[in-house]
């Protein structure tokens, strides 16, 4: 990223003091841009390891201070979307499809989930705004409130973007749940349960779902990461002050420390997410042992 | 010239005359109505992309100061935008840009990803380790986030959007090609040709590639659907196709401030994206299902 010099200098200097070459060089030296790119990358890495993400070129505010509150918004949004896509849509959809395998409800679920997969997330967001404002004469509030201050207002703001985002993430979970249940239903212990005279509903929920849900939990966890990506656009549509908007703003201002920090933070978060999912996996399925 | 031991899997099947092949295709289409619908819509989209002049009713750049922001009517099917341009014609002309950008990006990813994947899987060792790690880094970041970062840093333009989308999808092809190459390298027919002294390049191209190509085809379809969405997202954010030129995403970008005033500027391009992505997904989903069940994986 440091490879591309960008125009932050000219942008900053234009505001400050016209295009005086001396001023330009001074500014460059101040930001460390006069050094070769590998030196810049090296010192950036050295600082990051020490927990210093640097300062924004624009506002001079430490990047960590910019990022912190915005990360909360993005994480809340992605978490809500994950709940919607797994608990509200994905798992019930998969259960229905598996229960009626190769019959019409199965086909309906398949087409609907393909539809959901094919909708651009940001367009879904716009359409939700449009539908709610035209038909119900209601639109989400424009200023963001922390859930700890006013939970109701926060929910009113977050529910539509979470639905738009959750819809996009539901399709793989539907498929996963359906296939996983079908696989489990063919196993011996289900036959045994059936032979003891257990009802079909009991078999399905008590015996099959418990085992079938494990891979679904894993992919729901990984889905969380995918949804963070989707949050970038949906935040723009709903004007939520999240990491996505910060990133876009930083890009348009060529504020590279902020861009680097945004990508790095989300990358690190995803690594921890993967570890957490692995641990959860072992917890849910006692047969799996971590680290051999 | 050709070695007598060249036994591509396809060679083992009896070769069908064309008529039997056609009948087989027709049978598959009859079995899978969704596949048929998907192919049909994709074909229409392709026609629109190639001959937009035939479908459009106005010049997409013609402004009409007397008719800005008009709702859908018989004169303007999808209404007009702020400058009085015909939204229908802009959507039609945008088809070419959107499909071309996604197509070129996926082509780039297919070429680079599968070449590197084949090399990595076939030779293994240090090269494999290095490429594998590199691809993992790209793969682990969310597609949209990475594309936004790349396109943003390189600067907003069509070319950079193509690079961004291409880079994002390269690891997908890399993984498919690599795992295919590893499986195939262990097969007796590959060992046999190595024993006769065939060159590496020949083995990879003539023996391994044909056996991985079906999986790569499925991956291409799936990635193409996502690439259309990604291009739309980038252009919507102003990082792809730039406004005077129509693409589905850039029209949505222009319509965004007028969402509640002129909803048609947002509804129709979105529907077009939905329709084209859905049609490609219908094809990809069916292909994947048939591949998974009838052929086993990899």
């Amino acid at each position: 990223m440091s490879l591309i010099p960008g125009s932050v200098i000219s942008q900053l200097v234009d505001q400050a003091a016209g295009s005086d070459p001396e001023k330009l060089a001074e500014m460059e030296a101040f930001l460390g841009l006069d050094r070769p790119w590998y030196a810049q990358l090296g010192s950036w890495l050295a600082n990051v390891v020490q927990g210093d993400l640097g300062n924004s070129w624009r506002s001079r505010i430490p990047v960590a201070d910019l990022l912190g509150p915005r990360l909360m918004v993005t994480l809340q949004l992605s978490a809500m979307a994950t709940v919607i896509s797994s608990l509200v849509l994905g798992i019930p959809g998969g259960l229905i499809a598996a229960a009626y395998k190769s019959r019409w409800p199965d086909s309906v679920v398949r087409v609907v989930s393909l539809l959901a997969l094919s909708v651009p997330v940001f367009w879904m967001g716009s359409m939700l705004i449009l539908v709610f404002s035209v038909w119900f004469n209601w639109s989400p509030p424009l200023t963001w409130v922390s859930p700890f201050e006013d939970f109701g207002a926060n929910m009113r703001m977050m529910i539509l973007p979470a639905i738009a985002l959750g819809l996009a993430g539901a399709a793989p979970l539907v498929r996963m749940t359906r296939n996983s249940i079908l696989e489990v239903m063919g196993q011996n212990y289900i036959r045994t349960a059936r032979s003891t005279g257990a009802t079909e509903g009991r078999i399905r929920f008590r015996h099959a779902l418990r085992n079938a849900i494990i891979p679904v939990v894993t992919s729901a966890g990984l889905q969380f990461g995918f949804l963070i990506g989707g949050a970038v656009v949906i935040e723009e549509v709903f004007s939520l002050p999240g990491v996505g908007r910060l990133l876009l703003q930083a890009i348009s201002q060529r504020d590279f420390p902020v861009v680097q920090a945004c990508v790095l933070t989300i990358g690190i978060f995803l690594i921890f997410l993967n570890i957490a999912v692995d641990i959860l996996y072992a917890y849910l399925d006692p047969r799996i042992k971590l680290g051999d | 010239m050709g070695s007598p031991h060249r036994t591509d899997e396809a060679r083992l099947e009896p070769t069908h005359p064309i008529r039997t092949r056609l009948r087989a295709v027709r049978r598959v289409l009859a079995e899978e109505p969704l596949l048929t619908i998907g192919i049909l819509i994709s074909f229409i989209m392709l026609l629109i992309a190639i001959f937009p002049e035939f479908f459009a009713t106005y010049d997409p750049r013609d402004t009409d100061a007397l008719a800005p922001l008009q709702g859908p009517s018989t004169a303007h099917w999808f209404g007009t935008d702020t400058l009085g341009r015909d939204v229908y014609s802009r959507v039609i002309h945008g088809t070419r840009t959107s499909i071309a950008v996604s197509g070129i990006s996926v082509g780039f990813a297919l070429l680079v990803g599968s070449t590197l994947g084949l090399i990595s899987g076939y030779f293994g060792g240090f090269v494999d380790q290095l490429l594998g790690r590199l691809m993992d880094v790209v793969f682990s970041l969310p597609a949209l986030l990475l594309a936004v970062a790349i396109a943003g840093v390189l600067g907003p333009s069509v070319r950079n959007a193509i690079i961004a989308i291409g880079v994002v999808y390269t690891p997908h092809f890399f993984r498919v090609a690599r795992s295919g190459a590893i499986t195939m390298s262990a097969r007796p027919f590959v060992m046999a040709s190595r024993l006769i002294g065939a060159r590496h390049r020949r083995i990879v191209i003539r023996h391994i590639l044909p056996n991985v190509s079906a999986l790569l085809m499925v991956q291409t379809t799936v990635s193409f659907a996502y690439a259309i969405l990604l291009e739309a997202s980038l252009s919507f954010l102003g990082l792809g196709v730039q406004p005077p030129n129509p693409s589905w995403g850039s029209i949505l970008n222009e319509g965004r401030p007028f969402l509640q005033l002129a909803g048609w500027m947002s509804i129709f391009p979105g529907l077009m994206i939905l329709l084209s992505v859905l049609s490609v997904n219908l094809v990809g989903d069916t292909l994947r299902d048939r591949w998974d069940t009838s052929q086993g994986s990899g």
Side-chain angles (χ1 to χ4, degrees):
Chain A
M1 231 165 280
S2 324
L3 280 172
I4 294 93
S7 57
V8 70
I9 297 293
S10 49
Q11 278 191 20
L12 282 176
V13 171
D14 276 348
Q15 283 181 344
S19 49
D20 178 12
E22 215 167 286
K23 197 88 183 165
L24 254 157
E26 190 186 307
M27 189 68 104
E28 251 182 22
F30 176 71
L31 294 172
L33 283 174
D34 53 345
R35 295 180 301 154
W37 65 268
Y38 48 83
Q40 290 182 38
L41 183 66
S43 59
W44 180 72
L45 279 174
N47 285 331
V48 165
V49 182
Q50 295 167 38
D52 179 13
L53 287 168
N55 292 347
S56 158
W57 283 349
R58 269 279 148 158
S59 51
R60 304 281 160 77
I61 299 172
V63 175
D65 294 351
L66 280 175
L67 208 53
R70 289 177 169 81
L71 197 60
M72 288 315 294
V73 179
T74 303
L75 291 187
Q76 190 201 345
L77 178 62
S78 317
M80 283 175 68
T82 308
V83 169
I84 290 175
S85 70
S86 58
L87 293 182
V88 182
L89 301 168
I91 296 174
L95 278 173
I96 293 172
Y100 296 93
K101 182 182 179 274
S102 304
R103 303 226 298 274
W104 66 265
D106 188 16
S107 309
V108 169
V109 168
R110 184 175 162 205
V111 172
V112 170
S113 65
L114 270 180
L115 258 172
L117 190 68
S118 309
V119 177
V121 179
F122 59 93
W123 185 70
M124 193 70 223
S126 303
M127 290 303 109
L128 284 175
I129 294 179
L130 193 60
V131 164
F132 275 85
S133 68
V134 171
W135 288 351
F136 303 105
N137 207 7
W138 180 84
S139 48
L142 285 172
T143 41
W144 193 78
V145 196
S146 154
F148 303 111
E149 267 170 45
D150 185 348
F151 187 73
N154 175 270
M155 281 298 133
R156 277 198 292 281
M157 175 107 208
M158 299 292 264
I159 193 70
L160 284 188
I163 290 175
L165 200 53
L167 264 174
L173 293 178
V174 169
R175 168 187 288 269
M176 197 80 197
T177 311
R178 174 185 181 273
N179 294 351
S180 176
I181 289 210
L182 288 178
E183 199 185 312
V184 168
M185 288 300 276
Q187 281 176 6
N188 286 338
Y189 75 92
I190 295 289
R191 197 185 54 202
T192 310
R194 221 172 243 147
S195 69
T196 64
T199 59
E200 196 61 23
R202 190 183 156 84
I203 291 173
R204 231 171 255 289
F205 287 100
R206 187 77 196 234
H207 299 287
L209 188 60
R210 273 181 73 169
N211 281 293
I213 211 74
I214 295 168
V216 179
V217 170
T218 320
S219 60
L222 300 177
Q223 198 72 356
F224 191 75
F226 162 82
L227 292 177
I228 289 180
V232 175
V233 238
I234 208 78
E235 281 168 12
E236 184 67 21
V237 174
F238 286 90
S239 338
L240 298 173
V243 177
R245 287 196 87 201
L246 179 67
L247 177 68
L248 288 171
Q249 190 194 335
I251 283 174
S252 68
Q253 296 178 345
R254 312 250 120 208
D255 196 347
F256 289 125
V258 178
V259 177
Q260 285 168 325
C262 284
V263 177
L264 180 79
T265 311
I266 290 178
I268 290 176
F269 177 77
L270 291 180
I271 292 172
F272 278 110
L273 185 70
N274 276 323
I275 298 174
V277 169
D278 277 350
I279 294 173
L280 188 65
Y281 200 81
Y283 176 75
L284 285 174
D285 189 345
R287 285 170 300 183
I288 298 167
K289 289 241 160 56
L290 285 179
D292 291 322
Chain B
M1 289 282 277
S3 64
H5 289 276
R6 211 185 78 194
T7 49
D8 296 350
E9 306 262 284
R11 279 296 175 96
L12 295 174
E13 292 172 8
T15 42
H16 300 291
I18 292 173
R19 206 180 299 165
T20 333
R21 282 250 170 111
L22 274 180
R23 204 176 300 153
V25 168
R26 215 177 300 153
R27 201 188 62 228
V28 171
L29 289 181
E31 271 174 24
E32 304 275 3
L34 291 180
L35 177 70
T36 319
I37 297 173
I39 292 178
L40 210 67
I41 302 177
S42 310
F43 185 67
I44 296 173
M45 288 290 168
L46 205 62
L47 281 182
I48 294 178
I50 300 172
F51 307 109
E53 295 83 4
F54 178 78
F55 292 89
T57 45
Y58 294 85
D59 187 306
R61 287 153 183 269
D62 263 4
T63 55
D64 184 352
L66 297 175
L69 293 180
Q70 286 189 344
S73 63
T74 45
H76 299 283
W77 297 345
F78 292 177
T80 60
D81 68 5
T82 34
L83 302 173
R85 295 175 298 191
D86 183 49
V87 175
Y88 168 74
S89 303
R90 286 183 68 72
V91 169
I92 288 295
H93 277 269
T95 309
R96 175 183 283 177
T97 324
S98 295
I99 288 185
V101 170
S102 339
I104 297 171
S105 324
V106 173
F108 168 85
L110 171 69
L111 200 72
V112 176
S114 48
T115 309
L116 292 181
L118 285 173
I119 293 173
S120 188
Y122 180 76
F123 291 107
F126 174 70
V127 181
D128 185 32
Q129 288 285 324
L130 189 75
L131 285 173
R133 289 283 166 277
L134 194 70
M135 293 292 169
D136 279 350
V137 170
V138 179
F139 194 79
S140 61
L141 285 168
L144 185 59
L145 181 81
L146 189 63
V148 164
I150 297 175
V153 167
L154 293 182
S157 75
V158 176
R159 195 198 60 182
N160 293 340
I162 291 176
I163 295 176
I165 302 172
V167 167
V168 165
Y169 287 113
T170 301
H172 295 245
F173 291 96
F174 176 83
R175 291 194 157 190
V176 172
R178 179 178 172 271
S179 69
I182 290 176
T183 332
M184 286 302 151
S185 302
R187 293 280 178 89
F189 71 91
V190 172
M191 279 184 215
S193 46
R194 200 175 290 168
L195 281 176
I196 326 165
R199 286 166 196 275
H200 290 311
R201 199 176 67 183
R202 183 183 164 83
I203 295 176
V204 170
I205 293 175
R206 311 262 335 215
H207 300 298
I208 294 179
L209 184 61
N211 287 299
V212 188
S213 57
L215 284 173
L216 288 175
M217 270 284 289
V218 176
Q219 187 59 49
T220 308
T221 325
V222 174
S223 297
F224 185 55
Y226 284 118
I228 297 175
L229 286 178
L230 204 49
E231 186 277 325
S233 306
L234 286 180
S235 297
F236 174 72
L237 295 173
L239 293 170
V241 177
Q242 296 303 303
N245 296 318
S247 97
W248 296 330
S250 71
I251 302 171
L252 283 170
N253 181 13
E254 290 164 0
R256 206 184 136 217
F258 310 99
L259 179 63
Q260 287 167 19
L261 191 67
W264 55 87
M265 278 175 71
S266 296
I267 295 173
F268 294 107
L271 280 179
M272 204 66 172
I273 300 174
L274 172 61
L275 204 61
S276 56
V277 176
L278 180 66
S279 67
V280 179
N281 268 337
L282 284 173
V283 176
D285 201 55
T286 319
L287 283 183
R288 185 169 52 185
D289 271 1
R290 289 191 82 88
W291 183 263
D292 279 352
T293 52
S294 62
Q295 312 265 332
S297 50

